[in-house]
Short mmCIF file of all heavy atoms in Angstrom, two decimals:
data_model
loop_
_atom_site.label_atom_id
_atom_site.label_comp_id
_atom_site.label_asym_id
_atom_site.label_seq_id
_atom_site.Cartn_x
_atom_site.Cartn_y
_atom_site.Cartn_z
N MET A 298 -31.77 5.99 83.52
CA MET A 298 -33.16 5.65 83.26
C MET A 298 -33.67 6.54 82.14
O MET A 298 -33.41 7.73 82.11
CB MET A 298 -33.97 5.87 84.53
CG MET A 298 -35.40 5.54 84.39
SD MET A 298 -35.59 3.93 85.12
CE MET A 298 -37.28 3.95 85.54
N ALA A 299 -34.38 5.98 81.23
CA ALA A 299 -34.90 6.73 80.10
C ALA A 299 -35.96 7.73 80.56
O ALA A 299 -36.62 7.53 81.57
CB ALA A 299 -35.50 5.78 79.08
N GLN A 300 -36.11 8.76 79.78
CA GLN A 300 -37.12 9.78 80.06
C GLN A 300 -38.50 9.16 79.88
O GLN A 300 -38.71 8.33 79.01
CB GLN A 300 -36.98 10.96 79.11
CG GLN A 300 -35.81 11.84 79.41
CD GLN A 300 -36.07 12.72 80.63
OE1 GLN A 300 -36.68 12.31 81.59
NE2 GLN A 300 -35.58 13.91 80.60
N SER A 301 -39.42 9.59 80.69
CA SER A 301 -40.79 9.13 80.51
C SER A 301 -41.51 10.08 79.57
O SER A 301 -41.11 11.22 79.40
CB SER A 301 -41.51 9.05 81.85
OG SER A 301 -41.55 10.32 82.44
N CYS A 302 -42.56 9.58 78.99
CA CYS A 302 -43.33 10.36 78.03
C CYS A 302 -44.76 10.43 78.51
O CYS A 302 -45.30 9.45 79.02
CB CYS A 302 -43.25 9.68 76.66
SG CYS A 302 -44.27 10.45 75.41
N ARG A 303 -45.39 11.56 78.32
CA ARG A 303 -46.77 11.70 78.79
C ARG A 303 -47.72 10.78 78.03
O ARG A 303 -48.83 10.55 78.45
CB ARG A 303 -47.22 13.14 78.69
CG ARG A 303 -47.26 13.67 77.28
CD ARG A 303 -47.74 15.10 77.25
NE ARG A 303 -47.64 15.59 75.89
CZ ARG A 303 -47.16 16.74 75.55
NH1 ARG A 303 -46.74 17.57 76.48
NH2 ARG A 303 -47.13 17.12 74.30
N TYR A 304 -47.29 10.25 76.88
CA TYR A 304 -48.11 9.34 76.09
C TYR A 304 -47.73 7.89 76.32
O TYR A 304 -48.21 7.01 75.64
CB TYR A 304 -47.97 9.66 74.60
CG TYR A 304 -48.26 11.08 74.27
CD1 TYR A 304 -47.25 11.93 73.87
CD2 TYR A 304 -49.55 11.60 74.38
CE1 TYR A 304 -47.50 13.26 73.57
CE2 TYR A 304 -49.81 12.93 74.09
CZ TYR A 304 -48.79 13.75 73.68
OH TYR A 304 -49.04 15.06 73.39
N SER A 305 -46.86 7.63 77.25
CA SER A 305 -46.26 6.32 77.42
C SER A 305 -47.26 5.27 77.88
O SER A 305 -48.05 5.47 78.78
CB SER A 305 -45.13 6.40 78.45
OG SER A 305 -44.54 5.14 78.61
N ASN A 306 -47.19 4.14 77.22
CA ASN A 306 -47.84 2.93 77.67
C ASN A 306 -46.68 1.99 77.92
O ASN A 306 -46.05 1.50 76.99
CB ASN A 306 -48.77 2.39 76.59
CG ASN A 306 -49.42 1.08 77.00
OD1 ASN A 306 -48.80 0.24 77.67
ND2 ASN A 306 -50.64 0.88 76.59
N GLU A 307 -46.37 1.75 79.17
CA GLU A 307 -45.13 1.06 79.54
C GLU A 307 -44.98 -0.29 78.86
O GLU A 307 -43.91 -0.65 78.39
CB GLU A 307 -45.06 0.90 81.06
CG GLU A 307 -43.70 0.45 81.53
CD GLU A 307 -43.57 0.52 83.04
OE1 GLU A 307 -44.10 1.46 83.65
OE2 GLU A 307 -42.94 -0.40 83.59
N ARG A 308 -46.06 -1.06 78.78
CA ARG A 308 -45.96 -2.38 78.15
C ARG A 308 -45.65 -2.28 76.66
O ARG A 308 -44.83 -3.03 76.13
CB ARG A 308 -47.23 -3.19 78.37
CG ARG A 308 -47.34 -3.71 79.79
CD ARG A 308 -48.49 -4.65 79.92
NE ARG A 308 -49.73 -3.86 79.73
CZ ARG A 308 -50.93 -4.33 79.89
NH1 ARG A 308 -51.12 -5.57 80.23
NH2 ARG A 308 -51.98 -3.57 79.71
N VAL A 309 -46.28 -1.35 75.98
CA VAL A 309 -46.02 -1.15 74.55
C VAL A 309 -44.59 -0.67 74.36
O VAL A 309 -43.85 -1.17 73.49
CB VAL A 309 -47.02 -0.15 73.93
CG1 VAL A 309 -46.62 0.20 72.51
CG2 VAL A 309 -48.43 -0.71 73.99
N GLU A 310 -44.15 0.27 75.17
CA GLU A 310 -42.80 0.80 75.09
C GLU A 310 -41.77 -0.30 75.31
O GLU A 310 -40.80 -0.42 74.55
CB GLU A 310 -42.62 1.91 76.12
CG GLU A 310 -41.27 2.58 76.07
CD GLU A 310 -41.15 3.70 77.09
OE1 GLU A 310 -42.18 4.23 77.55
OE2 GLU A 310 -40.01 4.03 77.43
N GLU A 311 -41.98 -1.13 76.31
CA GLU A 311 -41.05 -2.22 76.59
C GLU A 311 -41.02 -3.24 75.46
O GLU A 311 -39.96 -3.74 75.09
CB GLU A 311 -41.42 -2.90 77.91
CG GLU A 311 -41.10 -2.07 79.13
CD GLU A 311 -41.56 -2.71 80.42
OE1 GLU A 311 -42.02 -3.87 80.41
OE2 GLU A 311 -41.45 -2.04 81.46
N ARG A 312 -42.18 -3.53 74.87
CA ARG A 312 -42.24 -4.49 73.77
C ARG A 312 -41.51 -3.96 72.54
O ARG A 312 -40.74 -4.68 71.90
CB ARG A 312 -43.68 -4.83 73.42
CG ARG A 312 -43.78 -5.97 72.41
CD ARG A 312 -45.20 -6.39 72.13
NE ARG A 312 -45.87 -5.35 71.37
CZ ARG A 312 -47.06 -4.84 71.66
NH1 ARG A 312 -47.73 -5.26 72.71
NH2 ARG A 312 -47.61 -3.91 70.91
N ILE A 313 -41.72 -2.70 72.20
CA ILE A 313 -41.04 -2.11 71.05
C ILE A 313 -39.53 -2.10 71.28
O ILE A 313 -38.77 -2.46 70.39
CB ILE A 313 -41.57 -0.69 70.77
CG1 ILE A 313 -43.02 -0.77 70.26
CG2 ILE A 313 -40.68 0.03 69.77
CD1 ILE A 313 -43.72 0.57 70.18
N LEU A 314 -39.10 -1.71 72.46
CA LEU A 314 -37.68 -1.70 72.77
C LEU A 314 -37.08 -3.10 72.67
O LEU A 314 -36.02 -3.29 72.07
CB LEU A 314 -37.43 -1.12 74.16
CG LEU A 314 -35.98 -1.05 74.62
CD1 LEU A 314 -35.14 -0.21 73.66
CD2 LEU A 314 -35.91 -0.49 76.03
N ALA A 315 -37.78 -4.09 73.20
CA ALA A 315 -37.30 -5.46 73.14
C ALA A 315 -37.19 -5.94 71.70
O ALA A 315 -36.22 -6.62 71.33
CB ALA A 315 -38.23 -6.38 73.94
N GLU A 316 -38.15 -5.57 70.86
CA GLU A 316 -38.10 -5.97 69.45
C GLU A 316 -36.93 -5.30 68.73
O GLU A 316 -36.26 -5.94 67.92
CB GLU A 316 -39.42 -5.63 68.76
CG GLU A 316 -40.57 -6.51 69.21
CD GLU A 316 -41.91 -6.06 68.66
OE1 GLU A 316 -41.96 -5.09 67.88
OE2 GLU A 316 -42.92 -6.70 69.02
N GLU A 317 -36.69 -4.03 69.01
CA GLU A 317 -35.57 -3.33 68.40
C GLU A 317 -34.24 -3.96 68.81
O GLU A 317 -33.37 -4.20 67.98
CB GLU A 317 -35.59 -1.85 68.78
CG GLU A 317 -36.74 -1.08 68.18
CD GLU A 317 -36.87 0.31 68.74
OE1 GLU A 317 -36.21 0.65 69.75
OE2 GLU A 317 -37.64 1.09 68.17
N VAL A 318 -34.10 -4.24 70.09
CA VAL A 318 -32.87 -4.87 70.58
C VAL A 318 -32.70 -6.24 69.96
O VAL A 318 -31.59 -6.62 69.56
CB VAL A 318 -32.88 -4.94 72.13
CG1 VAL A 318 -31.75 -5.81 72.65
CG2 VAL A 318 -32.79 -3.54 72.72
N GLN A 319 -33.78 -7.00 69.85
CA GLN A 319 -33.71 -8.34 69.28
C GLN A 319 -33.21 -8.29 67.83
O GLN A 319 -32.37 -9.10 67.44
CB GLN A 319 -35.08 -9.01 69.33
CG GLN A 319 -35.08 -10.43 68.80
CD GLN A 319 -36.45 -11.06 68.88
OE1 GLN A 319 -37.47 -10.37 68.87
NE2 GLN A 319 -36.48 -12.38 68.94
N VAL A 320 -33.70 -7.35 67.03
CA VAL A 320 -33.24 -7.24 65.64
C VAL A 320 -31.75 -6.93 65.60
O VAL A 320 -31.00 -7.55 64.82
CB VAL A 320 -34.04 -6.14 64.89
CG1 VAL A 320 -33.40 -5.81 63.55
CG2 VAL A 320 -35.48 -6.58 64.70
N LEU A 321 -31.30 -6.02 66.43
CA LEU A 321 -29.87 -5.69 66.45
C LEU A 321 -29.03 -6.88 66.91
O LEU A 321 -27.98 -7.17 66.33
CB LEU A 321 -29.63 -4.47 67.35
CG LEU A 321 -30.23 -3.15 66.84
CD1 LEU A 321 -30.14 -2.08 67.92
CD2 LEU A 321 -29.56 -2.70 65.55
N GLU A 322 -29.49 -7.58 67.92
CA GLU A 322 -28.75 -8.75 68.41
C GLU A 322 -28.74 -9.89 67.40
O GLU A 322 -27.72 -10.54 67.20
CB GLU A 322 -29.34 -9.23 69.75
CG GLU A 322 -29.03 -8.31 70.89
CD GLU A 322 -29.68 -8.73 72.20
OE1 GLU A 322 -30.56 -9.62 72.18
OE2 GLU A 322 -29.32 -8.14 73.24
N GLN A 323 -29.89 -10.13 66.74
CA GLN A 323 -29.95 -11.20 65.75
C GLN A 323 -28.98 -10.95 64.60
O GLN A 323 -28.48 -11.89 63.99
CB GLN A 323 -31.37 -11.34 65.19
CG GLN A 323 -32.33 -12.00 66.15
CD GLN A 323 -33.75 -12.03 65.61
OE1 GLN A 323 -34.11 -11.28 64.71
NE2 GLN A 323 -34.57 -12.88 66.20
N ASN A 324 -28.76 -9.69 64.31
CA ASN A 324 -27.84 -9.33 63.23
C ASN A 324 -26.42 -9.08 63.73
O ASN A 324 -25.57 -8.62 62.97
CB ASN A 324 -28.38 -8.11 62.48
CG ASN A 324 -29.60 -8.47 61.67
OD1 ASN A 324 -29.49 -9.07 60.62
ND2 ASN A 324 -30.78 -8.15 62.19
N GLN A 325 -26.21 -9.38 65.01
CA GLN A 325 -24.90 -9.22 65.64
C GLN A 325 -24.30 -7.83 65.36
O GLN A 325 -23.11 -7.70 65.06
CB GLN A 325 -23.95 -10.33 65.19
CG GLN A 325 -24.44 -11.70 65.57
CD GLN A 325 -23.57 -12.83 65.06
OE1 GLN A 325 -22.86 -12.69 64.08
NE2 GLN A 325 -23.64 -13.95 65.76
N ALA A 326 -25.15 -6.84 65.48
CA ALA A 326 -24.71 -5.47 65.22
C ALA A 326 -23.84 -4.98 66.38
O ALA A 326 -24.24 -5.05 67.54
CB ALA A 326 -25.92 -4.55 65.08
N PRO A 327 -22.63 -4.50 66.06
CA PRO A 327 -21.80 -3.93 67.12
C PRO A 327 -22.42 -2.64 67.64
O PRO A 327 -23.29 -2.03 67.00
CB PRO A 327 -20.46 -3.67 66.42
CG PRO A 327 -20.75 -3.66 64.97
CD PRO A 327 -22.00 -4.46 64.76
N THR A 328 -21.98 -2.21 68.78
CA THR A 328 -22.56 -1.04 69.43
C THR A 328 -22.52 0.20 68.56
O THR A 328 -23.52 0.92 68.44
CB THR A 328 -21.83 -0.76 70.77
OG1 THR A 328 -21.96 -1.91 71.60
CG2 THR A 328 -22.42 0.44 71.49
N ASP A 329 -21.38 0.47 67.92
CA ASP A 329 -21.28 1.69 67.11
C ASP A 329 -22.27 1.66 65.94
O ASP A 329 -22.92 2.66 65.65
CB ASP A 329 -19.86 1.95 66.63
CG ASP A 329 -19.26 0.80 65.82
OD1 ASP A 329 -19.78 -0.32 65.86
OD2 ASP A 329 -18.24 1.05 65.15
N PHE A 330 -22.44 0.50 65.32
CA PHE A 330 -23.40 0.39 64.22
C PHE A 330 -24.82 0.53 64.74
O PHE A 330 -25.66 1.18 64.11
CB PHE A 330 -23.23 -0.94 63.48
CG PHE A 330 -24.19 -1.08 62.34
CD1 PHE A 330 -24.01 -0.36 61.16
CD2 PHE A 330 -25.28 -1.93 62.43
CE1 PHE A 330 -24.91 -0.48 60.12
CE2 PHE A 330 -26.18 -2.06 61.38
CZ PHE A 330 -25.99 -1.33 60.22
N SER A 331 -25.12 -0.06 65.89
CA SER A 331 -26.44 0.05 66.50
C SER A 331 -26.79 1.50 66.77
O SER A 331 -27.93 1.93 66.54
CB SER A 331 -26.50 -0.76 67.80
OG SER A 331 -26.31 -2.13 67.54
N LEU A 332 -25.81 2.27 67.25
CA LEU A 332 -26.04 3.69 67.50
C LEU A 332 -26.31 4.44 66.21
O LEU A 332 -27.17 5.34 66.17
CB LEU A 332 -24.87 4.30 68.25
CG LEU A 332 -24.72 3.82 69.70
CD1 LEU A 332 -23.39 4.30 70.28
CD2 LEU A 332 -25.89 4.29 70.54
N VAL A 333 -25.62 4.10 65.14
CA VAL A 333 -25.88 4.73 63.84
C VAL A 333 -27.30 4.42 63.36
O VAL A 333 -28.01 5.29 62.88
CB VAL A 333 -24.83 4.28 62.78
CG1 VAL A 333 -25.23 4.72 61.39
CG2 VAL A 333 -23.46 4.82 63.14
N VAL A 334 -27.72 3.17 63.53
CA VAL A 334 -29.07 2.78 63.14
C VAL A 334 -30.10 3.58 63.94
O VAL A 334 -31.07 4.12 63.38
CB VAL A 334 -29.28 1.26 63.34
CG1 VAL A 334 -30.74 0.88 63.19
CG2 VAL A 334 -28.43 0.47 62.36
N LEU A 335 -29.88 3.69 65.24
CA LEU A 335 -30.81 4.44 66.08
C LEU A 335 -30.81 5.92 65.72
O LEU A 335 -31.86 6.57 65.69
CB LEU A 335 -30.47 4.24 67.56
CG LEU A 335 -30.69 2.81 68.05
CD1 LEU A 335 -30.14 2.65 69.46
CD2 LEU A 335 -32.15 2.44 67.99
N GLU A 336 -29.64 6.46 65.41
CA GLU A 336 -29.55 7.86 64.97
C GLU A 336 -30.37 8.06 63.70
O GLU A 336 -31.12 9.04 63.58
CB GLU A 336 -28.11 8.26 64.72
CG GLU A 336 -27.98 9.67 64.15
CD GLU A 336 -26.60 9.96 63.60
OE1 GLU A 336 -25.69 9.13 63.70
OE2 GLU A 336 -26.44 11.06 63.04
N ASN A 337 -30.24 7.14 62.75
CA ASN A 337 -30.99 7.25 61.50
C ASN A 337 -32.49 7.15 61.75
O ASN A 337 -33.28 7.84 61.10
CB ASN A 337 -30.53 6.18 60.51
CG ASN A 337 -29.15 6.46 59.98
OD1 ASN A 337 -28.67 7.58 59.99
ND2 ASN A 337 -28.49 5.42 59.50
N MET A 338 -32.90 6.29 62.68
CA MET A 338 -34.31 6.17 63.02
C MET A 338 -34.84 7.47 63.61
O MET A 338 -35.92 7.95 63.23
CB MET A 338 -34.53 5.02 64.01
CG MET A 338 -34.33 3.65 63.40
SD MET A 338 -34.41 2.31 64.62
CE MET A 338 -36.02 2.53 65.32
N VAL A 339 -34.08 8.05 64.52
CA VAL A 339 -34.51 9.31 65.16
C VAL A 339 -34.56 10.43 64.13
O VAL A 339 -35.53 11.21 64.09
CB VAL A 339 -33.57 9.67 66.34
CG1 VAL A 339 -33.85 11.07 66.85
CG2 VAL A 339 -33.72 8.65 67.46
N THR A 340 -33.54 10.51 63.29
CA THR A 340 -33.51 11.54 62.25
C THR A 340 -34.70 11.41 61.32
O THR A 340 -35.37 12.40 61.00
CB THR A 340 -32.20 11.46 61.44
OG1 THR A 340 -31.10 11.65 62.34
CG2 THR A 340 -32.14 12.50 60.35
N ASN A 341 -34.98 10.19 60.89
CA ASN A 341 -36.12 9.96 60.01
C ASN A 341 -37.43 10.35 60.69
O ASN A 341 -38.29 11.01 60.09
CB ASN A 341 -36.17 8.50 59.58
CG ASN A 341 -37.29 8.24 58.62
OD1 ASN A 341 -37.34 8.83 57.54
ND2 ASN A 341 -38.18 7.35 58.99
N LEU A 342 -37.57 9.98 61.94
CA LEU A 342 -38.78 10.32 62.69
C LEU A 342 -38.96 11.83 62.79
O LEU A 342 -40.04 12.37 62.56
CB LEU A 342 -38.74 9.68 64.08
CG LEU A 342 -39.95 9.90 64.97
CD1 LEU A 342 -41.19 9.29 64.35
CD2 LEU A 342 -39.69 9.30 66.34
N LEU A 343 -37.88 12.53 63.12
CA LEU A 343 -37.95 13.99 63.23
C LEU A 343 -38.28 14.63 61.88
O LEU A 343 -39.12 15.54 61.81
CB LEU A 343 -36.64 14.56 63.76
CG LEU A 343 -36.33 14.28 65.23
CD1 LEU A 343 -34.90 14.69 65.56
CD2 LEU A 343 -37.31 15.00 66.14
N ASN A 344 -37.64 14.16 60.83
CA ASN A 344 -37.84 14.76 59.51
C ASN A 344 -39.20 14.46 58.91
O ASN A 344 -39.71 15.25 58.11
CB ASN A 344 -36.74 14.32 58.54
CG ASN A 344 -35.42 14.99 58.84
OD1 ASN A 344 -35.36 16.06 59.42
ND2 ASN A 344 -34.34 14.34 58.46
N THR A 345 -39.80 13.35 59.29
CA THR A 345 -41.09 12.98 58.70
C THR A 345 -42.28 13.27 59.60
O THR A 345 -43.41 13.32 59.11
CB THR A 345 -41.12 11.48 58.33
OG1 THR A 345 -40.92 10.69 59.51
CG2 THR A 345 -40.06 11.15 57.29
N SER A 346 -42.05 13.50 60.88
CA SER A 346 -43.17 13.63 61.81
C SER A 346 -43.21 14.94 62.58
O SER A 346 -44.17 15.19 63.31
CB SER A 346 -43.14 12.48 62.82
OG SER A 346 -43.20 11.24 62.15
N VAL A 347 -42.18 15.76 62.46
CA VAL A 347 -42.14 17.02 63.19
C VAL A 347 -42.04 18.15 62.17
O VAL A 347 -41.21 18.09 61.25
CB VAL A 347 -40.93 17.08 64.16
CG1 VAL A 347 -40.88 18.42 64.88
CG2 VAL A 347 -41.01 15.93 65.16
N ALA A 348 -42.89 19.14 62.32
CA ALA A 348 -42.87 20.29 61.41
C ALA A 348 -41.50 20.97 61.45
O ALA A 348 -40.80 20.92 62.46
CB ALA A 348 -43.96 21.29 61.82
N PRO A 349 -41.11 21.59 60.34
CA PRO A 349 -39.77 22.21 60.29
C PRO A 349 -39.50 23.23 61.40
O PRO A 349 -38.40 23.26 61.94
CB PRO A 349 -39.75 22.88 58.92
CG PRO A 349 -40.68 22.06 58.09
CD PRO A 349 -41.77 21.65 59.05
N ALA A 350 -40.48 24.03 61.74
CA ALA A 350 -40.24 25.10 62.73
C ALA A 350 -39.77 24.58 64.08
O ALA A 350 -38.77 25.07 64.61
CB ALA A 350 -41.49 25.97 62.88
N PRO A 351 -40.44 23.59 64.68
CA PRO A 351 -39.98 23.12 66.00
C PRO A 351 -38.95 22.00 65.94
O PRO A 351 -38.51 21.50 66.98
CB PRO A 351 -41.26 22.63 66.65
CG PRO A 351 -42.09 22.13 65.53
CD PRO A 351 -41.77 23.07 64.38
N ARG A 352 -38.55 21.58 64.75
CA ARG A 352 -37.68 20.40 64.61
C ARG A 352 -36.38 20.55 65.39
O ARG A 352 -35.96 19.63 66.09
CB ARG A 352 -37.40 20.14 63.14
CG ARG A 352 -36.88 18.76 62.88
CD ARG A 352 -36.78 18.49 61.40
NE ARG A 352 -38.10 18.37 60.80
CZ ARG A 352 -38.37 18.66 59.54
NH1 ARG A 352 -37.43 19.09 58.73
NH2 ARG A 352 -39.60 18.53 59.09
N GLN A 353 -35.72 21.70 65.29
CA GLN A 353 -34.46 21.92 66.01
C GLN A 353 -34.68 21.83 67.52
O GLN A 353 -33.88 21.25 68.24
CB GLN A 353 -33.85 23.28 65.64
CG GLN A 353 -33.30 23.34 64.25
CD GLN A 353 -31.95 22.64 64.15
OE1 GLN A 353 -31.28 22.42 65.14
NE2 GLN A 353 -31.58 22.27 62.94
N TYR A 354 -35.78 22.43 67.99
CA TYR A 354 -36.08 22.40 69.42
C TYR A 354 -36.32 20.96 69.89
O TYR A 354 -35.80 20.55 70.94
CB TYR A 354 -37.32 23.27 69.72
CG TYR A 354 -37.79 23.12 71.14
CD1 TYR A 354 -37.14 23.76 72.18
CD2 TYR A 354 -38.88 22.31 71.44
CE1 TYR A 354 -37.55 23.61 73.50
CE2 TYR A 354 -39.31 22.15 72.75
CZ TYR A 354 -38.65 22.80 73.76
OH TYR A 354 -39.07 22.63 75.06
N VAL A 355 -37.09 20.19 69.13
CA VAL A 355 -37.38 18.81 69.51
C VAL A 355 -36.09 17.99 69.51
O VAL A 355 -35.85 17.20 70.42
CB VAL A 355 -38.45 18.20 68.57
CG1 VAL A 355 -38.63 16.71 68.84
CG2 VAL A 355 -39.77 18.93 68.72
N ALA A 356 -35.25 18.19 68.50
CA ALA A 356 -33.97 17.46 68.44
C ALA A 356 -33.09 17.82 69.63
O ALA A 356 -32.47 16.94 70.24
CB ALA A 356 -33.25 17.77 67.13
N ARG A 357 -33.04 19.08 69.98
CA ARG A 357 -32.23 19.52 71.13
C ARG A 357 -32.79 18.94 72.42
O ARG A 357 -32.04 18.46 73.27
CB ARG A 357 -32.19 21.05 71.20
CG ARG A 357 -31.21 21.56 72.26
CD ARG A 357 -31.05 23.09 72.23
NE ARG A 357 -30.70 23.57 70.90
CZ ARG A 357 -31.53 24.30 70.12
NH1 ARG A 357 -32.73 24.63 70.53
NH2 ARG A 357 -31.15 24.71 68.93
N SER A 358 -34.10 18.95 72.57
CA SER A 358 -34.72 18.39 73.77
C SER A 358 -34.44 16.89 73.88
O SER A 358 -34.16 16.39 74.96
CB SER A 358 -36.23 18.61 73.74
OG SER A 358 -36.52 19.98 73.80
N PHE A 359 -34.49 16.19 72.74
CA PHE A 359 -34.18 14.76 72.73
C PHE A 359 -32.74 14.53 73.15
O PHE A 359 -32.45 13.65 73.96
CB PHE A 359 -34.44 14.18 71.33
CG PHE A 359 -34.05 12.73 71.22
CD1 PHE A 359 -34.90 11.75 71.69
CD2 PHE A 359 -32.84 12.36 70.67
CE1 PHE A 359 -34.54 10.40 71.60
CE2 PHE A 359 -32.47 11.03 70.58
CZ PHE A 359 -33.33 10.05 71.05
N THR A 360 -31.83 15.33 72.61
CA THR A 360 -30.41 15.20 72.94
C THR A 360 -30.17 15.43 74.43
O THR A 360 -29.44 14.67 75.07
CB THR A 360 -29.58 16.20 72.12
OG1 THR A 360 -29.82 15.95 70.73
CG2 THR A 360 -28.10 16.09 72.42
N GLU A 361 -30.81 16.45 74.97
CA GLU A 361 -30.65 16.75 76.40
C GLU A 361 -31.22 15.62 77.26
O GLU A 361 -30.63 15.24 78.27
CB GLU A 361 -31.31 18.08 76.73
CG GLU A 361 -30.57 19.27 76.14
CD GLU A 361 -31.33 20.58 76.26
OE1 GLU A 361 -32.46 20.59 76.80
OE2 GLU A 361 -30.79 21.60 75.78
N ALA A 362 -32.36 15.07 76.84
CA ALA A 362 -32.95 13.96 77.60
C ALA A 362 -32.05 12.73 77.54
O ALA A 362 -31.88 12.03 78.54
CB ALA A 362 -34.34 13.63 77.03
N LEU A 363 -31.46 12.47 76.39
CA LEU A 363 -30.54 11.34 76.25
C LEU A 363 -29.33 11.53 77.14
O LEU A 363 -28.92 10.60 77.86
CB LEU A 363 -30.12 11.19 74.79
CG LEU A 363 -29.11 10.09 74.48
CD1 LEU A 363 -29.66 8.72 74.87
CD2 LEU A 363 -28.72 10.13 73.01
N GLN A 364 -28.75 12.71 77.13
CA GLN A 364 -27.59 12.98 77.98
C GLN A 364 -27.95 12.84 79.45
O GLN A 364 -27.19 12.26 80.23
CB GLN A 364 -27.03 14.37 77.69
CG GLN A 364 -26.35 14.45 76.34
CD GLN A 364 -25.91 15.86 76.00
OE1 GLN A 364 -26.54 16.84 76.39
NE2 GLN A 364 -24.83 15.96 75.24
N ALA A 365 -29.09 13.36 79.85
CA ALA A 365 -29.52 13.26 81.24
C ALA A 365 -29.74 11.79 81.63
O ALA A 365 -29.40 11.38 82.74
CB ALA A 365 -30.81 14.06 81.46
N SER A 366 -30.27 11.01 80.72
CA SER A 366 -30.50 9.60 80.98
C SER A 366 -29.19 8.87 81.22
O SER A 366 -29.08 8.05 82.13
CB SER A 366 -31.24 8.98 79.79
OG SER A 366 -31.43 7.61 79.98
N VAL A 367 -28.19 9.18 80.42
CA VAL A 367 -26.88 8.54 80.57
C VAL A 367 -26.23 8.97 81.88
O VAL A 367 -25.68 8.15 82.62
CB VAL A 367 -25.98 8.85 79.37
CG1 VAL A 367 -24.55 8.39 79.60
CG2 VAL A 367 -26.54 8.20 78.11
N ILE A 368 -26.30 10.25 82.19
CA ILE A 368 -25.71 10.77 83.43
C ILE A 368 -26.40 10.15 84.64
O ILE A 368 -25.74 9.70 85.57
CB ILE A 368 -25.81 12.31 83.47
CG1 ILE A 368 -24.84 12.91 82.43
CG2 ILE A 368 -25.48 12.83 84.87
CD1 ILE A 368 -25.05 14.39 82.19
N ASN A 369 -27.73 10.10 84.62
CA ASN A 369 -28.47 9.51 85.75
C ASN A 369 -28.19 8.03 85.89
O ASN A 369 -28.13 7.52 86.99
CB ASN A 369 -29.98 9.75 85.58
CG ASN A 369 -30.34 11.21 85.76
OD1 ASN A 369 -29.63 11.97 86.43
ND2 ASN A 369 -31.43 11.62 85.15
N ASN A 370 -28.00 7.34 84.78
CA ASN A 370 -27.69 5.91 84.83
C ASN A 370 -26.28 5.71 85.42
O ASN A 370 -26.06 4.78 86.19
CB ASN A 370 -27.76 5.29 83.43
CG ASN A 370 -27.72 3.79 83.46
OD1 ASN A 370 -28.32 3.17 84.32
ND2 ASN A 370 -26.98 3.21 82.55
N ASP A 371 -25.33 6.58 85.07
CA ASP A 371 -23.98 6.49 85.64
C ASP A 371 -24.01 6.68 87.15
O ASP A 371 -23.30 6.00 87.88
CB ASP A 371 -23.06 7.55 85.01
CG ASP A 371 -22.65 7.20 83.59
OD1 ASP A 371 -22.85 6.05 83.16
OD2 ASP A 371 -22.15 8.11 82.89
N LYS A 372 -24.82 7.60 87.62
CA LYS A 372 -24.91 7.87 89.06
C LYS A 372 -25.56 6.70 89.81
O LYS A 372 -25.25 6.48 90.98
CB LYS A 372 -25.71 9.15 89.32
CG LYS A 372 -24.97 10.39 88.89
CD LYS A 372 -25.79 11.63 89.13
CE LYS A 372 -25.04 12.88 88.68
NZ LYS A 372 -25.84 14.08 88.85
N ALA A 373 -26.44 5.97 89.12
CA ALA A 373 -27.11 4.84 89.76
C ALA A 373 -26.19 3.64 89.94
O ALA A 373 -26.45 2.77 90.75
CB ALA A 373 -28.33 4.43 88.93
N HIS A 374 -25.10 3.61 89.19
CA HIS A 374 -24.19 2.46 89.29
C HIS A 374 -22.99 2.83 90.06
O HIS A 374 -22.10 3.15 90.20
CB HIS A 374 -23.82 1.95 87.89
CG HIS A 374 -24.98 1.32 87.22
ND1 HIS A 374 -25.65 1.93 86.17
CD2 HIS A 374 -25.64 0.16 87.45
CE1 HIS A 374 -26.63 1.16 85.79
NE2 HIS A 374 -26.66 0.08 86.54
#
């Protein structure tokens, strides 16, 4: 399960995710390419929206949340 955010609006979050998935599916993007696209999106967001000082911390926190999400999802199945 993905990490929740204190700013989350569940309907908006679900709609954005559905739109992102739809673009990848419409372009028949394989999983590895989709992950590269998502990595580039995250990198761009961090580089353009997070000040340099906390950027490493935010990136590390994101990575840890992603890993925890995958681990928790594995345990659920």
